[in-house]
Amino acid sequence: MELVDICFNFAHDAFRADEHAVLRRAVEAGVTRLLCTGSDLEDSERSVALAEHFPEHLYATVGVHPHRAVTWDAATADALRRLAVEHPRVRAIGEAGLDFNRDYSPRDRQEQAFEGQLELAIELGLPLFLHEREAHERFIAILRRYRHRIGKAVVHCFTGTEAELLAYLDLDLHIGITGWICDERRGHHLREFIHHIPPHRLMIETDAPYLLPRDLHPKPHSRRNEPMYLPHILQTIATAVDRPVSAIAQETTATARAFYRL
């Protein structure tokens, strides 16, 4: 079984002490391709460097997360453009989007960074790796304006409602599902309607080191999530849609390979 983790925050400091061991455990679990996620310029540069250091398994995205939208400016856009053009292991723009949950960046700056990255993806012909939390109405309003110009796009770590999911599918967006679906307190609702996601639009992810599946036993002492737990998320999805694990694995891997040109 071969799996693709479409969101691995490998640039996070939590992985600096044991990079090789983390990758080894992932590959032993069948997670053979991983997308290192860029959350700001520095993070994106580190993700690219990691992808080039471990080229057998890693690729990168470059972008500015809405939490860090205050760092977005013309110089940042130029630097991200250079990374994407000069480094072939860059396969998407993002993590880009809106997050109105905590408003770490002002909402107008979030929208500015979001639209700037949409324009950058259009210019470069790259897919979009998107983030949305408690900002659905504004997020989808902006996407609708750009949808005829942008290519492939995935809403990663989907945690919303059935209506929100259907709205994203109506825009021909891909959907990323994380270990949130394993959380009986906050994510159990996803099991009731993820069957709406067509096989060619579903991808899976850990979002490591975040979102360790709550129903994982035994839990690591560090409580750090790792890509090696992706099969656990896969099993939960397969159970929810009442389909064989092998079928979901094959479909999500094929979808991710096509989306990111792996």
Side-chain angles (χ1 to χ4, degrees):
M1 184 170 65
E2 179 187 31
L3 300 177
V4 178
D5 187 346
I6 69 160
C7 184
F8 175 29
N9 297 287
F10 201 22
H12 194 285
D13 289 342
F15 295 115
R16 294 291 69 78
D18 58 348
E19 292 174 357
H20 289 83
V22 169
L23 282 179
R24 185 187 69 249
R25 288 190 290 268
V27 173
E28 288 172 352
V31 186
T32 60
R33 298 289 184 273
L34 308 96
L35 275 295
C36 299
T37 307
S39 298
D40 58 19
L41 179 55
E42 181 181 358
D43 210 46
S44 297
E45 291 171 339
R46 184 180 293 179
S47 292
V48 171
L50 286 164
E52 293 182 340
H53 187 65
F54 298 102
E56 185 177 356
H57 301 294
L58 301 185
Y59 299 85
T61 76
V62 295
V64 175
H65 189 286
H67 285 341
R68 303 176 188 178
V70 291
T71 68
W72 176 267
D73 57 21
T76 300
D78 287 342
L80 293 177
R81 180 183 293 105
R82 284 195 299 272
L83 282 174
V85 169
E86 296 174 4
H87 299 274
R89 301 202 73 75
V90 174
R91 297 303 169 92
I93 299 298
E95 182 171 351
L98 301 176
D99 192 312
F100 294 168
N101 174 254
R102 296 182 181 177
D103 289 325
Y104 285 131
S105 287
R107 295 184 180 185
D108 61 331
R109 297 293 299 274
Q110 290 189 42
E111 293 191 15
Q112 180 185 18
F114 183 27
E115 295 197 49
Q117 289 173 93
L118 293 175
E119 294 284 358
L120 187 59
I122 292 165
E123 173 191 339
L124 300 176
L126 285 173
L128 280 155
F129 184 73
L130 301 175
H131 172 103
E132 179 271 314
R133 188 175 183 190
E134 296 184 19
H136 173 78
E137 290 186 9
R138 188 64 187 139
F139 178 80
I140 204 163
I142 292 172
L143 277 179
R144 284 189 177 120
R145 295 207 316 265
Y146 284 87
R147 190 65 189 98
H148 67 290
R149 298 171 59 204
I150 62 176
K152 293 179 290 188
V154 56
V155 180
H156 109 98
C157 190
F158 177 78
T159 60
T161 66
E162 183 175 13
E164 290 169 351
L165 174 66
L166 295 176
Y168 291 145
L169 293 176
D170 284 345
L171 283 183
D172 197 30
L173 302 177
H174 288 65
I175 304 294
I177 297 293
T178 65
W180 192 273
I181 197 172
C182 304
D183 188 331
E184 79 285 355
R185 305 168 307 162
R186 300 182 296 175
H188 205 269
H189 67 290
L190 295 174
R191 304 185 191 197
E192 300 172 5
F193 54 76
I194 62 165
H195 63 273
H196 291 309
I197 307 173
H200 65 285
R201 296 254 217 102
L202 173 65
M203 292 186 277
I204 56 177
E205 49 179 315
T206 58
D207 204 12
Y210 312 111
L211 297 183
L212 180 73
R214 270 183 55 85
D215 60 354
L216 189 67
H217 296 290
K219 289 183 172 62
H221 293 301
S222 67
R223 297 302 175 105
R224 180 186 69 175
N225 197 9
E226 289 189 26
M228 70 172 176
Y229 300 127
L230 192 63
H232 181 84
I233 297 168
L234 173 73
Q235 176 65 66
T236 302
I237 292 170
T239 300
V241 298
D242 193 23
R243 296 186 60 217
V245 170
S246 59
I248 304 297
Q250 183 177 15
E251 291 164 359
T252 56
T253 297
T255 299
R257 280 186 168 276
F259 186 94
Y260 290 107
R261 299 177 293 108
L262 305 184

